């Protein structure tokens, strides 16, 4: 949402032109800024080039880092931890470390920029091994733009949105901006309560109310926000 497309997920830094407007919002006493991501918080912190971090939610809501630096992780059931203990070594044994993103909530397999035949091979390898295995294990398989993820069941971006809305006066304007298929859960959670915005160069089917093309229209949005 804040970064240009890159096949190197470790180089997904924000558009430079967004940083001043974002930092103005971070320091404002009128707006509560929260970044919600599928990445782990540790991974996310390394990419945000801001003088001070806003509130962060990572792993689709499994992790939370407040502006005061308080870090919390939703506890996992023993069965989930046991299955994750099988997943992580399997990734190494099958030569998938280079395209795998390890998280406290599971693992994501990225194939953006890879040839279609190789992407299909990776997808099939993951699904063939794990699709039947994780039933009733507390894990789920989800597709995202450019990959597939195995993660803790019931964790998605609607969870932090609902939590934040419960903490916010209903008369206060709210907006959620996202680019990925995983943001559709958050768009749905905001229906009737705030503005949902799809941020990506090309329009796709979405539940969002508005479409913005980054970076210019996104920067304009942040500058116009009170």
């Amino acid at each position: 949402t804040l970064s240009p497309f890159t096949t190197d997920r470790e180089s997904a830094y924000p558009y430079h032109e967004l940083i001043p407007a974002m930092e103005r919002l971070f320091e404002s006493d009128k707006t509560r800024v929260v970044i919600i991501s599928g990445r782990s918080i540790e991974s996310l912190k390394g990419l945000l080039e801001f003088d001070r971090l806003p509130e962060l939610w990572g792993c689709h809501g499994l992790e939370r880092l407040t502006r005061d630096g308080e870090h919390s992780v939703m506890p996992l059931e023993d069965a989930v931890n046991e299955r994750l203990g099988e997943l992580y070594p399997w990734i190494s044994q099958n030569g998938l470390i280079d395209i795998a993103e390890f998280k406290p909530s599971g693992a994501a397999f990225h194939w953006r920029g890879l040839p279609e035949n190789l992407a299909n091979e990776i997808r099939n390898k993951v699904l063939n091994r794990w699709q039947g295995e994780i039933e009733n294990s507390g894990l789920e398989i989800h597709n995202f733009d450019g990959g597939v993820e195995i993660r803790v069941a019931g964790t998605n971006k609607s969870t932090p949105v609902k939590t934040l809305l419960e903490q916010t006066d209903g008369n206060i304007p709210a907006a959620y901006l996202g680019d990925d298929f995983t943001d559709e859960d958050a768009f749905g959670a905001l229906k009737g309560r705030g503005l949902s915005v799809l941020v990506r160069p090309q329009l796709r089917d979405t539940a969002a109310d508005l479409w913005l093309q980054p970076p210019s229209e996104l920067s304009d949005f942040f500058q116009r926000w009170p």
Side-chain angles (χ1 to χ4, degrees):
T1 306
L2 300 177
S3 310
F5 170 80
T6 174
T7 56
D8 181 5
R9 62 183 183 275
E10 302 304 326
S11 300
Y13 299 105
Y15 294 100
H16 290 298
E17 51 265 60
L18 296 183
I19 292 177
M22 292 292 293
E23 289 188 331
R24 177 186 66 83
L25 290 178
F26 295 164
E27 299 304 324
S28 170
D29 59 359
K30 297 180 179 179
T31 298
R32 180 181 184 180
V33 181
V34 180
I35 293 180
I36 301 170
S37 177
R39 291 175 178 265
S40 68
I41 284 180
E42 190 62 31
S43 171
L44 193 60
K45 286 165 58 179
L47 296 173
L48 298 177
E49 300 177 312
F50 303 118
D51 290 338
R52 184 182 178 191
L53 291 176
E55 180 178 343
L56 304 178
W57 288 70
C59 295
H60 305 278
L62 187 83
E63 290 186 285
R64 185 179 190 179
L65 181 69
T66 68
R67 290 202 69 174
D68 296 330
E70 181 180 346
H71 180 247
S72 58
V73 181
M74 184 177 72
L76 303 180
E77 297 180 358
D78 291 342
V80 175
N81 283 320
E82 182 179 343
R83 188 61 71 188
L84 290 177
E86 298 172 3
L87 171 64
Y88 298 145
W90 177 85
I91 293 172
S92 176
Q93 293 161 7
N94 285 269
L96 298 176
I97 286 182
D98 288 344
I99 57 93
E101 178 186 357
F102 294 87
K103 309 178 185 183
S105 58
F109 303 88
H110 299 263
W111 51 67
R112 276 187 176 185
L114 297 180
E116 184 176 356
N117 63 323
L118 184 54
N120 288 333
E121 180 182 329
I122 295 169
R123 175 182 171 82
N124 290 335
K125 181 180 287 189
V126 173
L127 295 184
N128 290 341
R129 171 61 180 86
W130 293 101
Q131 196 161 37
E133 288 284 328
I134 64 175
E135 286 188 25
N136 303 317
S137 70
L139 296 175
E140 297 174 335
I141 295 180
H142 293 271
N143 295 310
F144 61 91
D145 189 5
V148 66
E149 180 173 6
I150 299 175
R151 71 172 185 254
V152 176
T155 55
N156 64 62
K157 293 178 181 177
S158 71
T159 301
V161 170
K162 291 175 181 177
T163 299
L164 294 166
L165 289 178
E166 289 172 357
Q167 300 172 356
T168 306
D169 187 300
N171 295 317
I172 295 177
Y176 181 97
L177 294 82
D179 69 307
D180 199 88
F181 294 119
T182 61
D183 292 302
E184 294 296 324
D185 294 311
F187 295 157
L190 202 59
K191 281 296 182 185
R193 175 59 183 83
L195 179 68
S196 53
V197 184
L198 178 68
V199 180
R200 65 195 319 268
Q202 293 83 33
L203 180 63
R204 61 163 171 78
D205 290 338
T206 179
D209 303 309
L210 181 68
W211 169 45
L212 295 178
Q213 290 179 298
S216 59
E217 292 181 352
L218 182 58
S219 177
D220 186 58
F221 179 92
F222 287 138
Q223 290 173 14
R224 289 170 179 264
W225 190 267

